[in-house]
Each structure stands twice: as C-alpha cells, then as structure tokens.
C-alpha cells in the first residue's frame, strides 16, 4: 500500500482519507461544478464553492444552521405563549370552579403547561385567562386571548352546556354579541329553561343597553331557577358563585314573573 503525506495535517497516511484528520488523499471532485480540486482544499479553484471535505466551514453546515435557529425560535415562541396562559397569581383550583362575574371576584388558575392538558382543559384555561384580563380591565389581553379561546372550544368534538356558557361569555366580552346570542339559542334548544341561557342574554342586553331585554332575562331566570337547581346540573355547581349572584341580582330587580 502506497504511503503519502496528508496535505492538511502532514501526517503519514495511506488510502483515500487521512487517518488523522479525514482529509481526502486522492483526487477530489467539486460537488458543484465537477472540476478536479486539490485534496484537502476547502474551496473549488474554479467555482469557489466549499469542498465536501474542506473543514468545518462547509456549505452544508451553513444551510443547516438556519433551520436549527428557526426550530429553536419556534420552540421559544410556543414556550412563551404557554407561560403567558399558565401564569397566574390566583388559587390553584380547576378552571370551571373559578368562573365568576367580573364584579364578584377573581379567576384563579395555577401555572401549567398547556401541552400537558386535554383540549377541553386548554380551552377552559384560556377562558380563565380572558376572564381575569376582563376583570382587571386589560383590553389588550382580552383581544389577544379571546379569539384563541373561542377557536380552542371550536376544535372540540361537541360543546356541553358549560362550554357553551363559556363561549357565550367570551363572545360577549369580546363584543361579538351575535355569537353570544347564538350560543344562548343553541343551549336553549338543547336544554329549555337552562339558567345560563338567561345569564348570557342578560349580559347581551346589558351591553346593548336594552332594559326590556334584561328584564326578560331576569324573569326567565327566576321562572326556572328552582326546577333547574333541583336538577343538580354539574355546570351550576361549577359556577355556583355566579349563579347565586345572578339570582340575587334578578330578585333585586323587582321584575314581575309571568
């Protein structure tokens, strides 16, 4: 076997590659233009492209780095969104148990990575975030998280009464009153007399400064409250504070029940 000297590191070498630094020892060919290049050369003397064995500054590595950087930046952005949604100063209790009217107290939620949650848990966590932002008067956060929350609920296979109430409430806060009414109508069609139908319609009427509509919502609520609470629906238990608060508000309004 013929022994030669590596043109790059000077070590004695044989075969096609140097055993010390892996530099090609035979005639090399440029991968870009096909010209013969000197073994160990980092660039083609004809077209100037980096050679395949020309060291750590190869074109392949330069092409890989942008993809690595983009991947890292994408992971960072996702982590930031998860952190923002999970961040909270409230009690670490379930999302459904924290819902309350803005005037009635906070919407606590523990810091949690959304990627570990089910789709419904993610939607409820976003609902909590919207409600806390609304309560604190942070319109910018409401505008950012409300569409995200509604979209997340929209990805669920179906919406139960609790989820429809959440979507209706978010839509009202976001100013999409037609969407809120649509949720109330859907809930009413599935569960006639459901208390959260009146609660959504009351909020919409309040936003529209519709006194007659709000009185009608109060009357509907009071007409059904006893029977509905006796049904012990889980959403009433989850939102007990706001249901009790709305009942007191309806009774204080002096509305005459039919």
């Amino acid at each position: 076997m013929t022994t030669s000297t590596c043109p790059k590191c000077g070590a004695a070498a044989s075969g096609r590659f140097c055993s010390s630094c892996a530099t090609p020892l035979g005639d090399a060919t440029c991968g870009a233009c096909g010209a013969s290049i000197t073994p160990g050369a980092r660039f083609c003397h004809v077209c100037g492209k980096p050679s395949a064995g020309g060291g750590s500054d190869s074109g392949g590595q330069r092409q890989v780095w942008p993809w690595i950087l983009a991947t890292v930046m994408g992971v960072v952005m996702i982590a930031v969104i998860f952190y923002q949604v999970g961040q909270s100063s409230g009690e670490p209790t379930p999302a459904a148990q924290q819902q309350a009217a803005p005037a009635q107290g906070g919407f606590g939620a523990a810091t949690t990575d959304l990627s570990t949650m089910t789709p419904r848990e993610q939607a409820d966590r976003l609902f909590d975030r919207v409600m806390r932002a609304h309560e604190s008067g942070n319109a910018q956060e409401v505008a950012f998280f409300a569409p995200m929350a509604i979209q997340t609920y929209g990805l669920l296979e179906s919406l139960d009464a609790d989820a429809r109430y959440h979507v209706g409430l978010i839509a009202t806060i976001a100013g999409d009153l037609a969407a809120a009414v649509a949720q109330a109508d859907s809930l009413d069609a599935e569960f006639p007399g459901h208390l959260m139908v009146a609660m959504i319609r009351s909020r919409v009427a309040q936003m529209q400064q519709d006194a007659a509509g709000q009185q009608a919502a109060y009357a509907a609520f009071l007409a059904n409250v006893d029977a509905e609470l006796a049904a012990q629906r889980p959403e009433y238990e989850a939102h007990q504070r706001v249901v009790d608060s709305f009942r007191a508000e309806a009774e204080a309004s002096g509305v005459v029940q039919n």
Side-chain angles (χ1 to χ4, degrees), residues 107-200:
F107 292 79
T111 300
T112 306
D113 185 351
L114 286 180
S115 64
T116 66
M117 298 179 178
T118 66
R120 176 58 190 268
E121 289 171 339
Q122 292 178 11
D124 287 345
R125 180 54 56 90
L126 287 165
F127 166 74
D128 282 346
R129 186 62 188 247
V130 172
M131 297 308 298
R132 290 199 308 275
H134 176 66
E135 181 186 36
S136 64
N138 192 331
Q140 185 175 5
E141 278 198 13
V142 170
F144 181 81
F145 286 108
M148 189 186 304
I150 291 176
Q151 183 179 24
T152 305
Y153 278 110
L155 295 175
L156 301 178
E157 291 185 2
S158 62
L159 297 181
D160 58 19
D162 190 50
R164 288 199 181 279
Y165 176 60
H166 288 185
V167 175
L169 200 57
I170 295 169
T172 303
I173 291 171
D176 190 349
L177 303 186
V181 170
Q183 291 301 324
D185 291 346
S186 297
L187 185 55
D188 193 27
E190 187 173 1
F191 302 104
H194 199 287
L195 299 180
M196 289 175 176
V197 173
M199 291 162 66
I200 294 174

Side-chain angles (χ1 to χ4, degrees), residues 61-71:
Q61 287 176 312
R62 285 201 300 271
Q63 293 174 1
V64 169
W65 272 107
W67 289 101
I68 295 176
L69 182 60
T71 300

Side-chain angles (χ1 to χ4, degrees), residues 36-113:
S36 296
I37 58 177
T38 304
R42 299 177 64 188
F43 299 92
C44 174
H45 66 281
V46 176
C47 68
K49 297 290 185 181
S51 66
S56 61
D57 217 6
S58 67
Q61 287 176 312
R62 285 201 300 271
Q63 293 174 1
V64 169
W65 272 107
W67 289 101
I68 295 176
L69 182 60
T71 300
V72 171
M73 292 301 295
V75 171
V76 170
M77 288 296 295
I78 292 172
V80 168
I81 291 176
F82 282 172
Y83 175 80
Q84 287 179 337
V85 175
Q87 184 90 353
S88 172
S89 58
E91 294 290 331
T93 51
Q97 294 179 342
Q98 289 300 305
Q99 193 279 334
Q104 300 303 317
F107 292 79
T111 300
T112 306
D113 185 351

